[in-house]
Amino acid sequence: MEPGTLSTFLKRGAIWGFIVLQLVFFSVAGKYLSLSDTAFMDLDNMLLLLKQSAPIGIIAIGMTVIMINGNIDLSVGAIFALAAVVMLDSMTWPIFADLGDWVIPVAWALALLTGVTLGAINGLIVWKTGVDAFIVTLGAMLGYRGLVFMYNGEQPTSHLNWTLVDFAEAQVLGLPTAAWFLLGTVAVVWFIMNRTVHGRNAYAIGDNREAAVNAGIRVGPHFLINFMLIGFLAALSAVVFYSESGSVNPNDGQLYELWAITAVVLGGTKLTGGSGSIISTLGGVIAIQLLRKGLGHIGADTETVNLVIGLILIAVLFLDRQLNLKGKQELRV
């Protein structure tokens, strides 16, 4: 086995082993502890789990790109909420009154444009000022959340379009619409990160920014593009989720950034950048949703769920640190 092979497996492959372990544990434990007669691994349960994973999952895929690049984005939850407000409210604007159901793609486009614009603002500030992305997006999180409250005060923004609901609740080849959006996002972003120059440059910048600059890679524009990408994906997540629910509260999306980062880290992406996997992040998203659903299945309350996930995250971060301390040497266990 080549040096680093075992550590790479532990970082990227173990998440799928963890998922299998959860499925076995909750299936067995559910027979004795669950108050429900429904089997944990019931097909409908698993399809619902994939659907419920979509909002955080789509954002987490974008967060993976940002973290591979050596940055982080704390504003995604606020962008998610603001894009949702724009989508639902724009469907009631008088200027679009004669469009009928054609207002749907217009509202989607406005929501996605909102996400791209807010992401571009973040990227430009990081690029042009040199301020750390953590600080920039922390400020953006507060500012964008303020815009959500300014838009409609403390009141929810609501508009239920039944054509939109039918689309959101439809199933194609047995999979819900939301699941297709999640899997499509994974496929497209995987291709970008593994088969394009931009993706390879993102890894290079995250691994060693100074060396990337010396190699002629324009770091600033890469930051801008990737922040625009995560802004787009945060808005896409909102489009997928609120097409069905039809109502957004000003506080919606809070802590989404933390859930997304947790999924990315569980998938083996380094906090310091330069290493990460889109497919493993999908595993991290599924693992979190499976853990939440499984603990609920056996009767655990929300506080217990959050405690368990928090402890697992700490354990993963500790393991990540130990693996990184090994450098390129083979981990011996």
Side-chain angles (χ1 to χ4, degrees):
M1 184 177 289
E2 295 180 1
T5 301
L6 178 56
S7 62
T8 298
F9 169 77
L10 289 173
K11 287 181 180 181
R12 297 186 181 180
I15 188 64
W16 301 104
F18 180 51
I19 289 173
V20 171
L21 183 64
Q22 286 189 77
L23 289 171
V24 172
F25 173 78
F26 289 124
S27 295
V28 174
K31 293 180 180 179
Y32 302 99
L33 300 176
S34 176
L35 300 178
S36 172
D37 293 330
T38 304
F40 181 69
M41 289 184 66
D42 178 80
L43 178 60
D44 290 337
N45 255 347
M46 294 300 102
L47 290 176
L48 180 60
L49 181 142
L50 194 58
K51 178 181 178 180
Q52 292 172 337
S53 299
I56 295 296
I58 293 171
I59 295 174
I61 296 304
M63 189 69 76
T64 306
V65 176
I66 289 291
M67 290 175 64
I68 287 172
N69 216 172
N71 292 309
I72 203 164
D73 191 342
L74 301 179
S75 67
V76 287
I79 294 176
F80 171 88
L82 189 54
V85 168
V86 170
M87 182 187 79
L88 295 179
D89 194 57
S90 64
M91 296 176 74
T92 66
W93 292 352
I95 192 174
F96 301 139
D98 297 330
L99 291 180
D101 283 340
W102 286 105
V103 74
I104 294 173
V106 174
W108 282 352
L110 290 173
L112 296 173
L113 180 62
T114 298
V116 171
T117 300
L118 297 179
I121 292 172
N122 290 344
L124 279 171
I125 294 174
V126 172
W127 174 12
K128 296 298 183 181
T129 67
V131 176
D132 189 86
F134 179 91
I135 302 299
V136 171
T137 58
L138 178 62
M141 175 182 71
L142 300 174
Y144 298 160
R145 183 65 64 179
L147 290 177
V148 175
F149 278 93
M150 289 172 62
Y151 201 100
N152 210 15
E154 300 283 342
Q155 302 302 315
T157 300
S158 303
H159 181 76
L160 196 62
N161 182 299
W162 288 108
T163 301
L164 198 55
V165 171
D166 289 340
F167 170 79
E169 292 184 344
Q171 290 195 357
V172 179
L173 300 178
L175 286 179
T177 300
W180 281 111
F181 272 96
L182 173 59
L183 296 177
T185 299
V186 169
V188 171
V189 178
W190 179 91
F191 180 84
I192 291 173
M193 296 304 291
N194 291 276
R195 294 292 185 267
T196 69
V197 174
H198 177 80
R200 290 193 291 271
N201 287 347
Y203 279 100
I205 292 168
D207 186 51
N208 191 322
R209 189 175 301 181
E210 184 178 349
V213 171
N214 292 335
I217 298 174
R218 299 188 64 201
V219 173
H222 274 85
F223 285 175
L224 176 61
I225 291 171
N226 288 334
F227 273 105
M228 291 171 67
L229 175 63
I230 195 173
F232 173 86
L233 292 178
L236 179 63
S237 175
V239 166
V240 171
F241 183 78
Y242 291 103
S243 291
E244 182 175 358
S245 71
S247 180
V248 54
N249 290 301
N251 286 315
D252 283 1
Q254 285 191 343
L255 299 182
Y256 271 29
E257 56 281 341
L258 298 184
W259 285 112
I261 292 168
T262 300
V264 175
V265 172
L266 283 176
T269 297
K270 290 172 58 177
L271 286 172
T272 53
S275 176
S277 166
I278 300 299
I279 302 299
S280 294
T281 290
L282 175 62
V285 171
I286 293 173
I288 289 175
Q289 193 62 39
L290 195 58
L291 193 60
R292 296 171 70 178
K293 195 174 187 69
L295 289 171
H297 184 68
I298 62 175
D301 54 25
T302 303
E303 291 77 10
T304 302
V305 173
N306 291 337
L307 175 62
V308 171
I309 293 176
L311 291 174
I312 290 174
L313 178 60
I314 292 172
V316 169
L317 290 173
F318 175 78
L319 178 60
D320 178 73
R321 180 175 180 274
Q322 296 306 307
L323 292 171
N324 289 331
L325 285 176
K326 294 289 181 180
K328 295 183 178 180
Q329 296 179 357
E330 178 65 11
L331 179 67
R332 300 188 184 279
V333 292

